[in-house]
Amino acid sequence: MKKITICFFLLSLFIINAQTKVAGTYHVSSGNPDDGGYHWMLFENHNFAMVTFGQIIAGKWSIDDKNVISFTPSTPKFPFDVYGRYDSALKGTKIMFDNFDINAKTYIGDTDQGVQPILGENANCLPYPLLKEFNKDFKDLVLSVTMFDQTKETFYVAENKKYNDFIIMYYSSATRLRPFIARLKGGQLYFRDDNRPSSPRKDISPKELKEMGKFVSEGVSAVSKEFIISNKAYNIESYGPGERSADLDEEAYLKYNYNYNDAKEIYTAKEPNAVSEDNAYHDLNTLYKYRRIELKPNQNSYKKIEKSIFNITCKD
């Protein structure tokens, strides 16, 4: 009788676990047959990825005893990241504005002179790199972006103690998602609309696991990196023609292929490659290390200057 009870208990656990298996793939229709909807992948290590047309969102998931799944997207804490280095040959200050949005009202300045718009109101296209050289040194960098739902404007201050060469990355509100939840019921995910559940859960295929698993893991850990590497033409994302491999061990790659000058924070290729003058973006013979500067948010008031830094318009 005791053996029967134990077997029944183990069988019950097996059934419960089978009923509440979460890791797998789910598909949610958007209602638009042309965009493919939303493809969800929940991994056993509690990472997740949501893939839709032109966008991938990654993060962490957890589930409670009521089968409510909490999703925490891996997104930057603030709308900006500021990276800097010191260039002894540079007079004044150089700033590259990366991934800025023509539809966002963003500002930059310092605590002494106030802030001004980065882009003019008529901007309808942006070059790459979006680069500006100033004839002054910045005591600090003050950044802000006007949000439609904010009650009071927040400014982000990066104290500048030694740098004059910066890369500022902007993260739009579309990429800075807040945590959200879904219910797991009958092997399907229910988000906001109970009438439109996901497709039933399927196991993640080996191909999907290989293609997305490492990408998601690195994406979760790569938000607001401590430093970034760039060449002179601001090739930040790749180390040669084509995108950087997700399997690349960045530290080992740099150590094996480059000599590093710690004082200048410059990597020089051990075996330089011939690169044409018109292909500066792929000239990887010299790379520069930019370190992330801590941002401190505040709601102080700063003088606003109307004149924008860039006034860029393109022909239709």
Side-chain angles (χ1 to χ4, degrees):
M1 182 68 183
K2 185 177 181 181
K3 290 183 178 180
I4 295 175
T5 302
I6 292 174
C7 290
F8 180 77
F9 175 73
L10 292 175
L11 180 61
S12 299
L13 285 178
F14 175 80
I15 293 173
I16 291 172
N17 287 332
Q19 290 176 339
T20 59
K21 186 171 178 59
V22 181
T25 66
Y26 306 81
H27 186 267
V28 179
S29 172
S30 67
N32 182 350
D34 296 327
D35 66 11
Y38 308 94
H39 188 59
W40 291 84
M41 284 177 279
L42 278 63
F43 298 89
E44 295 283 0
N45 61 2
H46 286 262
N47 289 335
F48 80 86
M50 188 283 290
V51 182
T52 186
F53 183 75
Q55 185 179 17
I56 298 176
I57 296 171
K60 293 282 188 178
W61 66 268
S62 61
I63 187 168
D64 65 14
D65 57 0
K66 296 181 180 179
N67 278 357
V68 175
I69 302 176
S70 297
F71 294 92
T72 304
S74 182
T75 60
K77 185 178 181 181
F78 302 129
F80 306 94
D81 265 331
V82 177
Y83 294 86
R85 63 181 299 272
Y86 178 72
D87 183 352
S88 60
L90 180 63
K91 305 301 180 183
T93 303
K94 182 170 65 173
I95 301 177
M96 197 280 274
F97 299 86
D98 185 48
N99 200 41
F100 275 69
D101 185 350
I102 59 175
N103 297 311
K105 193 73 170 179
T106 51
Y107 295 84
I108 189 172
D110 60 28
T111 53
D112 289 340
Q113 299 183 21
V115 297
Q116 64 184 116
I118 295 171
L119 303 175
E121 292 185 358
N122 296 324
N124 59 7
C125 67
L126 297 177
Y128 189 90
L130 184 62
L131 186 64
K132 176 69 175 180
E133 292 195 27
F134 299 86
N135 294 323
K136 65 174 184 175
D137 297 327
F138 281 76
K139 170 188 173 183
D140 47 32
L141 291 174
V142 177
L143 297 155
S144 74
V145 56
T146 300
M147 299 288 190
F148 70 93
D149 59 347
Q150 65 188 18
T151 56
K152 188 174 182 180
E153 192 165 13
T154 299
F155 294 89
Y156 303 89
V157 180
E159 294 182 1
N160 180 33
K161 297 180 180 179
K162 58 181 180 180
Y163 299 137
N164 61 356
D165 183 3
F166 299 93
I167 295 175
I168 299 177
M169 295 184 171
Y170 172 67
Y171 307 107
S172 69
S173 57
T175 63
R176 297 180 60 244
L177 299 178
R178 297 175 181 176
F180 54 94
I181 63 172
R183 291 185 299 110
L184 180 65
K185 182 180 178 182
Q188 294 175 281
L189 292 179
Y190 291 77
F191 288 91
R192 296 178 181 177
D193 191 344
D194 284 348
N195 296 319
R196 290 175 59 185
S198 73
S199 62
R201 189 202 72 83
K202 295 181 180 179
D203 289 335
I204 299 176
S205 70
K207 182 179 179 181
E208 287 177 316
L209 188 61
K210 182 178 180 180
E211 290 180 350
M212 296 298 299
K214 187 172 179 59
F215 170 84
V216 172
S217 296
E218 290 190 350
V220 168
S221 62
V223 174
S224 297
K225 297 172 66 175
E226 288 301 313
F227 64 85
I228 56 177
I229 306 296
S230 173
N231 71 349
K232 191 173 183 179
Y234 297 100
N235 182 343
I236 300 171
E237 296 299 328
S238 67
Y239 285 109
E243 290 301 309
R244 181 171 57 191
S245 169
D247 295 327
L248 177 68
D249 184 332
E250 185 175 28
E251 184 177 352
Y253 176 88
L254 291 169
K255 185 176 181 180
Y256 181 80
N257 291 283
Y258 290 85
N259 294 312
Y260 180 59
N261 185 320
D262 186 57
K264 295 183 178 181
E265 296 193 310
I266 294 177
Y267 294 89
T268 305
K270 295 178 180 179
E271 297 182 7
N273 294 313
V275 182
S276 62
E277 293 183 2
D278 61 350
N279 193 23
Y281 187 78
H282 291 124
D283 184 352
L284 306 173
N285 292 322
T286 304
L287 301 176
Y288 304 93
K289 186 174 186 176
Y290 290 78
R291 296 185 180 274
R292 183 167 59 87
I293 305 172
E294 182 183 2
L295 288 177
K296 296 181 179 179
N298 66 53
Q299 292 186 333
N300 297 341
S301 294
Y302 295 99
K303 179 178 68 174
K304 283 190 175 180
I305 303 167
E306 292 185 6
K307 184 180 178 182
S308 61
I309 293 173
F310 297 101
N311 289 287
I312 304 169
T313 55
C314 301
K315 295 180 180 179
D316 296 333

